[in-house]
Amino acid sequence: IMTTYKEIRGSQIEAVATDPSNPVEGQVWYNTTSNVLKGSVFEAAAWVTGGSLNTSRSEIAGAGNATPAATTALVFGGEGPPHVANTEQYNGSNWTEVNDLNTARRILMGSGTTTAALAFGGFNGPPGTQNVGATETWNGTNWTEVNDLEAANSRMAGAGTQTSALSFSGGGKTANTELYNGTNWTEVNNLNTGRSNSSGAGADNTSAICVGGETPSVTANAELWNGTNWTEVNNLNTARDRLTTIGLETSALAFGGQPGATINEEWNGTNWTETADLNNSTKFASGAGTSSLALAFGGLLAPGASSAFTEEWSKTTEIGAWTTVNSMNTARKSLSGAGTATAAISFGGNDGTSEIGNTESWNGSNWTEVNDLNTGRALLSGAGTSTSGLGFGGPIKKSIIPF
């Protein structure tokens, strides 16, 4: 007989309109708004080695997307040495060289996806040792020059998409912030703490996080952008500069940098928590993805030693949540079944009045009545698939014949 949740935990499953703000591991609840049974479970997370870049480099920029199947990314610019315009695209397994930036540079910033990216700022020397304001858009095939940053800059952080981006901090320990609307850059309210070699992430030009950097001392400072102003929030656990941050202002990863170049911290919108470290010690790297599925690539391993490494981050939930789907045609208890989550059969059981032989087939969306068991019964067992099943056992009520 199946043990109930109440017998295991000593209480019934709680029904709530909103999810608990700070659930404990093992807690289960039913959300009456979304009609979903949910639970708080242990999550496993780790970095694994991916395909290497074709060109080793540091001081690069990147862009990319994360899907359940793979993380894809774009890397551009950087220091080889010398400063380069090389662009490469990652398909989840390997990097392929594609068309170069129009302006070779290093210590630049990027945003967007593999088919719609933005590259801005950077440093193009020597020769011509100077910051640049050059901005370019990527359409999946080529880079096109568009309107420059208002103030040429390098060593800055950035966030957003190709048409809605933010540039903040940078060379000279600046607090400067510029907003991109798809056409022009506009200066907006500054960071509270000016810095260089910081890092950032965010969905667009209305929401971002800035972390770490030099002020000139190495800092753990973190600030959030709400579309108008920056607000100081809880700091990193380990002060670092030349680090990489990916994700959103509510859910991000901050990894690498100096000192502590393998350290990886996760942001949940309120606090930073140290989690599984990188396998490679790196700074001036880049990355793409989300706090659940991400890439780290390139960077500086030691002075003059650029890296081609790629690491893939995956954070998985050990068990998932239950979601309400379409009901069976015949309500019953003490039944049996066989198959998978997308192709199953149910058979037998008790409908409240008698044992039945009803059999239904599940296609991943709906139940359909099919041919019944030859003998109606409950409390039986089942095995097999939706097309080759076995039903066995179970008590059968016998008729009493009067004398």
Side-chain angles (χ1 to χ4, degrees), residues 13-386:
I13 294 173
E14 184 181 13
V16 293
T18 58
D19 294 338
S21 59
N22 189 28
V24 298
E25 186 176 326
Q27 182 178 348
V28 177
W29 66 93
Y30 184 79
N31 187 306
T32 57
T33 303
S34 60
N35 294 321
V36 175
L37 181 67
K38 299 183 177 183
S40 177
V41 297
F42 170 76
E43 292 182 312
W47 292 97
V48 297
T49 301
S52 296
L53 292 166
N54 294 287
T55 302
S56 297
R57 52 191 142 153
S58 64
E59 301 177 348
I60 52 180
N65 354 333
T67 69
T71 298
T72 58
L74 201 69
V75 60
F76 38 94
E79 174 78 357
H83 57 284
V84 298
N86 296 48
T87 302
E88 298 184 35
Q89 186 165 335
Y90 192 68
N91 63 3
S93 302
N94 299 295
W95 291 95
T96 303
E97 293 200 12
V98 291
N99 290 327
D100 291 352
L101 287 163
N102 293 287
T103 302
R105 49 193 138 153
R106 60 187 177 94
I107 330 175
L108 71 162
M109 188 45 57
S111 62
T113 68
T114 55
T115 57
L118 191 70
F120 48 96
F123 186 81
N124 73 341
T129 53
Q130 60 182 5
N131 290 337
V132 298
T135 301
E136 301 184 34
T137 59
W138 170 258
N139 64 3
T141 305
N142 296 300
W143 289 100
T144 302
E145 293 190 9
V146 292
N147 290 328
D148 289 358
L149 288 162
E150 289 203 349
N153 200 3
S154 67
R155 300 181 185 273
M156 68 284 200
T161 68
Q162 185 188 69
T163 58
S164 178
L166 207 64
S167 171
F168 40 94
S169 73
K173 317 297 186 292
T174 182
N176 183 67
T177 302
E178 293 192 33
L179 181 150
Y180 186 68
N181 64 3
T183 304
N184 297 302
W185 290 97
T186 304
E187 288 198 18
V188 289
N189 290 328
N190 288 349
L191 287 158
N192 294 288
T193 302
R195 61 189 90 182
S196 61
N197 293 324
S198 65
S199 188
D204 52 34
N205 62 22
T206 66
S207 55
I209 187 168
C210 176
V211 295
E214 302 171 42
T215 63
S217 60
V218 177
T219 182
N221 180 271
E223 299 186 34
L224 282 182
W225 171 257
N226 64 3
T228 305
N229 296 300
W230 290 97
T231 303
E232 293 197 10
V233 291
N234 288 327
N235 290 350
L236 291 164
N237 292 286
T238 302
R240 285 171 282 161
D241 66 351
R242 306 174 193 190
L243 70 165
T244 303
T245 304
I246 57 93
L248 303 172
E249 76 286 353
T250 55
S251 178
L253 291 179
F255 49 84
Q258 66 175 18
T262 61
I263 290 175
N264 180 33
E265 297 188 36
E266 183 175 3
W267 170 252
N268 65 3
T270 304
N271 297 300
W272 292 96
T273 303
E274 290 195 17
T275 183
D277 287 353
L278 287 164
N279 296 297
N280 293 276
S281 175
T282 188
K283 56 189 176 184
F284 280 133
S286 191
T290 68
S291 61
S292 298
L293 192 64
L295 289 175
F297 41 88
L300 194 64
L301 301 177
S306 294
S307 170
F309 89 89
T310 299
E311 293 191 36
E312 300 177 357
W313 167 262
S314 178
K315 180 179 178 181
T316 57
T317 303
E318 296 298 313
I319 61 171
W322 292 98
T323 303
T324 301
V325 292
N326 290 325
S327 299
M328 290 193 298
N329 294 285
T330 301
R332 62 189 104 168
K333 63 182 179 180
S334 305
L335 69 163
S336 190
T340 69
T342 56
I345 53 172
S346 67
F347 43 89
N350 186 302
D351 65 1
T353 58
S354 63
E355 280 70 25
I356 60 176
N358 295 47
T359 302
E360 299 187 33
S361 175
W362 171 256
N363 64 2
S365 301
N366 298 295
W367 290 98
T368 303
E369 292 196 12
V370 292
N371 291 330
D372 291 352
L373 286 165
N374 292 288
T375 304
R377 54 193 134 155
L379 300 172
L380 71 165
S381 294
T385 69
S386 61

